[in-house]
Amino acid sequence: MQATAPVRMSDGKGRHTTTDREMFPLGGGATLIDTPGLRGVGMWDADAGIAAAFSEVDDLAQHCRFTDCAHETEPGCAVRAAVDSEELDARRVESYRKLQRENEWVAARADARLRREKALEVKAVSRALRAYYRDR
């Protein structure tokens, strides 16, 4: 459907050969988007999209013991229990966490208060690490 060029044998990478943006519908509702020159696509305020894409995680999270559960080591976590019983795939939960972190990062970039909170968190961790290595 489009002109392609061979990849380098040394590292398996190729060169951009397309010059026009184009979308290619694939089977099963997927779409391939060719965007020459665009290296990545980010999110912007994707809370609703994440909740829709990972509705099973959100549904289970309603049954966690703590409302601010991170679904990692907290006692009474319904999401961890579902992963442990193989009712929920651990990779889905990891993808969910990754998108949540990315969405929080995007929100922090746009909100001065959140940016300040993140900076304070980083400072606290840095101080703790310095103290740990100093007292070791």
Side-chain angles (χ1 to χ4, degrees):
M1 294 179 80
Q2 287 199 288
T4 60
V7 297
R8 291 187 297 264
M9 296 302 290
S10 60
D11 62 3
K13 294 187 178 184
R15 284 203 155 165
H16 285 286
T17 56
T18 58
T19 56
D20 297 324
R21 293 184 305 255
E22 196 163 347
M23 292 176 57
F24 300 97
L26 305 175
T31 303
L32 173 69
I33 304 173
D34 182 14
T35 53
L38 183 64
R39 293 190 182 268
V41 178
M43 298 191 313
W44 188 261
D45 193 20
D47 280 332
I50 294 171
F54 295 92
S55 59
E56 74 279 15
V57 178
D58 272 354
D59 291 345
L60 286 167
Q62 300 301 316
H63 302 290
C64 288
R65 181 174 172 189
F66 302 106
T67 56
D68 63 345
C69 185
H71 318 303
E72 291 178 5
T73 59
E74 297 85 358
C77 176
V79 174
R80 287 295 327 152
V83 169
D84 292 344
S85 69
E86 297 182 0
E87 177 186 334
L88 181 63
D89 187 5
R91 291 184 332 198
R92 288 276 297 158
V93 177
E94 191 50 43
S95 295
Y96 171 81
R97 283 190 196 124
K98 182 180 176 191
L99 288 172
Q100 289 285 45
R101 283 191 306 268
E102 186 176 342
N103 198 42
E104 288 169 8
W105 181 79
V106 168
R109 285 187 61 201
D111 184 333
R113 182 185 56 81
L114 288 175
R115 236 185 354 260
R116 177 75 176 139
E117 287 177 9
K118 288 288 182 192
L120 291 174
E121 284 177 24
V122 169
K123 283 184 179 183
V125 169
S126 296
R127 268 191 233 114
L129 282 171
R130 277 196 307 272
Y132 171 77
Y133 285 114
R134 181 184 62 236
D135 298 340
R136 215 171 56 153

